[in-house]
């Protein structure tokens, strides 16, 4: 088990390095954002001649979740975004307007559902539970912020109660469920696999938790970050530092970072 981080500016050859580093006789998972999946698959075909059985697999975090769920099972999730929007709209509009401090105006303008949808998606992404929200409300001295959080909590609790009673899970919880499955001692999905993660500048908390399980269980994890250590890349540098902390917490060997400074010739548009 090991972690290796590749650092360099855009166009310095990080993706090319990853392709050349992939073993040809071991299982490989290449994780990229969904919008880069097609380009990544073309790169692998150019490199290996084909994709499929025995070849590196291109996945986004969400597609990785679906792959793991197909083997290890999962809760029933809300079918799609349209279903999510409808359920959020139902929950938001079921709250009596007088319970709101600041959102009452949104009810009159029929804008509450969209606001509620954005709020719930953000809370889920950053793993903020109703309990954590209540804790924040009790400790803030900002009256306006407290009222806004209280309105958000009313909607969030209504939504949480509704999906619990329906026995379904939120799509935004997929990666949290994935991390829980990967952390299980009986899950050997990551065993002997080489994980490569490319084209991300930062990760949300659920993605970090998945990466933590990869670092703990996979044969190796290699992550490419677009940075050279300068303040211009402050967000990515924070990502680098957090990954280093995770490796230390997992007591996993962190290999020296690969610093790419000179642009490498490549036909890849991802570099």
């Amino acid at each position: 088990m090991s972690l290796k981080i590749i650092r360099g500016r855009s166009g310095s050859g990080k993706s090319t390095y990853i392709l050349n580093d992939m073993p040809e006789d071991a299982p490989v998972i290449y994780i990229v954002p969904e919008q880069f999946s097609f380009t990544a698959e073309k790169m692998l075909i150019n490199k290996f001649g084909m994709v499929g059985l025995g070849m590196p697999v291109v996945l986004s975090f969400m597609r990785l979740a679906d792959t793991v769920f197909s083997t290890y099972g999962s809760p029933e999730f809300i079918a799609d975004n349209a279903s999510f929007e409808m359920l959020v709209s139902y929950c938001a509009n079921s709250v009596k307007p007088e319970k709101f401090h600041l959102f009452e105006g949104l009810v009159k303008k029929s804008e509450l559902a969209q606001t509620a949808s954005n709020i719930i998606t953000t809370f889920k992404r950053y793993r903020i539970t109703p309990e954590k929200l209540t804790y924040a409300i009790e400790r803030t001295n900002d009256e306006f912020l407290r009222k806004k959080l209280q309105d958000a909590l009313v909607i969030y609790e209504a939504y949480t109660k509704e999906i619990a009673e329906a026995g379904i899970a939120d799509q935004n919880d997929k990666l949290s469920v994935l991390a829980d499955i990967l952390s299980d001692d009986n899950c050997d999905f990551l065993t002997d696999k080489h994980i490569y993660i490319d084209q991300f500048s930062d990760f949300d908390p659920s993605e970090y938790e998945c990466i933590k399980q990869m670092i703990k269980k996979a044969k190796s994890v290699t992550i490419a970050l677009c940075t050279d250590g300068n303040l211009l890349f402050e967000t990515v540098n924070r990502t680098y530092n957090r990954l280093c902390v995770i490796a230390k917490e997992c007591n996993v060997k962190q290999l020296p970072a690969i610093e790419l400074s000179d642009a490498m010739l490549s036909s890849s548009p991802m570099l």
Side-chain angles (χ1 to χ4, degrees), residues 7 16 20 50 76 89 99 114-115 125 171 177 182 201-202 211 236 247 270:
R7 303 198 298 183
T16 300
N20 293 332
M50 62 176 292
E76 180 182 354
S89 177
K99 287 191 174 183
Q114 184 58 54
T115 300
R125 181 180 180 185
Q171 288 275 2
V177 175
L182 293 177
S201 60
D202 194 11
I211 292 172
V236 186
M270 290 174 65

Side-chain angles (χ1 to χ4, degrees), residues 88-111:
V88 170
S89 177
Y90 169 77
C91 294
N93 291 316
S94 68
V95 178
K96 295 181 180 179
E98 57 266 25
K99 287 191 174 183
F100 292 125
H101 299 282
L102 302 176
F103 287 1
E104 186 176 356
L106 297 178
V107 177
K108 296 177 181 178
K109 296 179 182 179
S110 302
E111 296 176 359

Side-chain angles (χ1 to χ4, degrees), residues 46-58:
N46 291 336
K47 169 69 176 178
F48 296 100
M50 62 176 292
V51 292
L53 189 62
M55 293 291 105
V57 179
V58 177

Side-chain angles (χ1 to χ4, degrees), residues 1 7 12-13 18 28 39 43 48 79 99 107 109 111 114 121 151 173 206 209-210 253 256 260 266:
M1 295 177 286
R7 303 198 298 183
S12 60
I18 282 178
V28 171
T39 302
M43 290 168 53
F48 296 100
K99 287 191 174 183
V107 177
K109 296 179 182 179
E111 296 176 359
Q114 184 58 54
T121 298
D151 286 358
D173 287 331
S206 295
E209 190 58 36
C210 292
K253 180 180 180 181
L260 300 178
S266 171

